[in-house]
Amino acid sequence: MVVVLELDGDDAFDPYTRPKGLEHSSVTIRPRPVQHGGAEENLGAERPNPNINNFSAALSCYPIVTQLTQYLDLNTLHALSRTCRQFRANLFQYRTRLIQQTLHCENETMPNTKRDIEQSDRCSVLLTGRVSPCARDMVSDCRRCGRIVCRNCAHKPPSASLLRMRHRRLCSKCLATPLPQLSRHWQDPCTCTSSVYLCAPCGTGLNVADTNYFRIWTWRTRYSTYLGGLGTGIGEGNEGVKCWRGEKCIAAQEVEVEIDCSEEGRISDRESSESDSERHWPEGEGKEERAGYWQQEIEGIGGVVKKKIRKRVRVGKTVKEWEDERDGKDDVLGRESRGEGRSWCGWCGRVVWGKKDRQIYGQAREVAA
């Protein structure tokens, strides 16, 4: 079927119905006449189209707009088309292709039915147990690992009452280091107070990790000498709470730890992915010579012989413990919860700006924007 339209050549070019190419000319918009009492009146004089600019010209080019659409989901693409009538006219001509090329979830190619999940070896990746297809209207990257997931594959965010438990304390070196040298995401800090978008593997076990971290501080306070405890030397030397950044800490140091191995000499699951070439063995102790102080055999329950090795690993510096927290006058991590000091988010793995950071880097980000 062919539709023939008869256009009047004397009329001015309408940029909304037929967008031009990369070079937009200065087009004026004629207001529609309004009838009052049988006479036509114009609402105003002719005005130029304010929405014709370089970006609207780029949206009319298919190679440019198709590359842009690969980073947008359906909601973002719809919001872009509703910016103005000029943008909508430029995007509407490629509507079918653009909808197909929007951002996809990484789990979209996985099986969606129960029968396919039972027959597939990749079903263990779906920790949420969903069997519905992936969504296309809300797709974004995980704030922690960067995987592209949709709203159906995203983990359910924790409740707002648990926001104060996500803070992790940093050492004095990490607190004094400028943000550009501390984290590559310093311009995009933690936004968990407004929205938490994590994939299923990253969102699993957040409450357990928060509870275990707070129990460390509770146990230290209970057995501290300040409260008449046993005085076991907690907090002295290397026995304090380490910086949460671990081996990426600015003042990280190497310490010796003991790792339990099986009878065949294999390391536990936590260290199984690390090869022998990556382990920090002391000088003179190779892969073939592991006897003596660096590797010992112990007899466990039931006469089972196990091996225990010593290994050098990098750990963070011991963090500071305030006097009011020891005495119970202030809550644990109270300064970090109130936003007074810089901390690290245990959910998204990004830095949480403190009061001084907001004064220095907040103004610089507003000027750059």
Side-chain angles (χ1 to χ4, degrees):
M1 182 181 65
V2 179
V3 179
V4 180
L5 299 179
E6 183 178 358
L7 303 178
D8 191 358
D10 297 336
D11 294 340
F13 173 73
D14 190 356
Y16 302 133
T17 58
R18 187 182 297 273
K20 297 185 66 177
L22 289 177
E23 297 181 358
H24 285 301
S25 59
S26 179
V27 181
T28 57
I29 302 176
R30 294 183 178 180
R32 297 181 179 179
V34 182
Q35 295 182 358
H36 292 284
E40 294 184 356
E41 298 180 359
N42 291 334
L43 296 179
E46 296 180 355
R47 62 181 180 87
N49 188 356
N51 299 320
I52 295 181
N53 47 36
N54 295 333
F55 186 70
S56 62
L59 292 181
S60 63
C61 180
Y62 179 75
I64 297 179
V65 71
T66 187
Q67 292 294 330
L68 178 63
T69 310
Q70 296 179 3
Y71 300 93
L72 306 178
D73 57 357
L74 290 181
N75 287 342
T76 308
L77 183 62
H78 177 66
L80 179 62
S81 64
R82 291 176 57 88
T83 304
C84 61
R85 296 176 62 185
Q86 182 67 57
F87 287 7
R88 183 182 182 277
N90 294 349
L91 296 175
F92 189 77
Q93 55 184 342
Y94 314 121
R95 176 179 179 273
T96 305
R97 293 291 184 88
L98 295 182
I99 292 178
Q100 299 175 357
Q101 297 177 0
T102 52
L103 196 61
H104 289 245
C105 177
E106 293 186 0
N107 300 329
E108 189 170 353
T109 58
M110 294 184 180
N112 293 324
T113 61
K114 293 182 178 180
R115 181 178 180 180
D116 295 338
I117 289 178
E118 293 176 356
Q119 297 178 356
S120 176
D121 296 332
R122 305 176 64 184
C123 62
S124 58
V125 182
L126 301 178
L127 301 179
T128 56
R130 67 160 186 87
V131 293
S132 60
C134 292
R136 299 287 300 278
D137 55 348
M138 185 176 179
V139 184
S140 182
D141 55 338
C142 176
R143 293 285 295 175
R144 187 164 187 171
C145 64
R147 294 180 65 249
I148 306 299
V149 293
C150 64
R151 55 180 174 84
N152 292 339
C153 299
H155 190 269
K156 182 179 179 181
S159 60
S161 59
L162 302 177
L163 284 173
R164 65 179 186 86
M165 300 185 64
R166 79 186 194 280
H167 296 278
R168 305 291 188 267
R169 181 161 293 178
L170 302 177
C171 64
S172 57
K173 290 291 184 179
C174 294
L175 293 176
T177 303
L179 284 180
Q181 302 178 10
L182 183 67
S183 175
R184 61 187 180 94
H185 298 291
W186 69 275
Q187 293 182 340
D188 188 14
C190 173
T191 58
C192 294
T193 55
S194 57
S195 63
V196 182
Y197 198 86
L198 301 174
C199 61
C202 294
T204 304
L206 293 180
N207 296 338
V208 177
D210 296 342
T211 304
N212 293 338
Y213 188 76
F214 265 77
R215 285 178 178 176
I216 295 176
W217 294 97
T218 305
W219 184 81
R220 286 168 53 85
T221 304
R222 180 173 301 178
Y223 289 93
S224 176
T225 56
Y226 284 81
L227 299 179
L230 301 178
T232 56
I234 300 174
E236 300 178 0
N238 294 329
E239 299 299 330
V241 179
K242 306 301 179 182
C243 179
W244 185 255
R245 300 187 71 231
E247 60 181 8
K248 297 182 180 179
C249 176
I250 303 299
Q253 55 184 352
E254 290 188 357
V255 297
E256 295 180 3
V257 297
E258 294 183 352
I259 303 175
D260 294 333
C261 303
S262 61
E263 185 177 356
E264 292 79 11
R266 294 177 298 179
I267 304 180
S268 57
D269 295 340
R270 185 171 57 89
E271 301 291 339
S272 59
S273 60
E274 185 179 10
S275 61
D276 293 336
S277 59
E278 298 176 350
R279 298 173 188 169
H280 299 275
W281 297 101
E283 297 181 359
E285 295 289 341
K287 293 185 292 184
E288 299 179 357
E289 300 178 359
R290 300 181 186 175
Y293 177 77
W294 300 104
Q295 177 171 324
Q296 301 174 358
E297 293 184 355
I298 57 177
E299 183 177 355
I301 301 177
V304 179
V305 179
K306 297 183 179 180
K307 294 182 179 180
K308 179 179 292 186
I309 65 173
R310 295 179 183 270
K311 178 183 175 183
R312 293 177 181 176
V313 295
R314 292 179 58 87
V315 297
K317 184 182 177 181
T318 304
V319 300
K320 184 178 181 180
E321 184 177 3
W322 301 92
E323 297 292 338
D324 51 1
E325 295 180 355
R326 291 183 177 181
D327 299 338
K329 298 179 181 179
D330 193 5
D331 297 336
V332 176
L333 303 176
R335 291 172 174 81
E336 289 79 2
S337 302
R338 294 189 296 267
E340 299 177 1
R342 181 189 303 176
S343 62
W344 201 263
C345 180
W347 295 356
C348 63
R350 298 172 184 257
V351 63
V352 182
W353 286 9
K355 182 178 180 181
K356 186 180 296 184
D357 297 332
R358 291 190 296 269
Q359 295 176 355
I360 299 177
Y361 301 101
Q363 298 178 358
R365 187 171 62 173
E366 293 178 358
V367 172

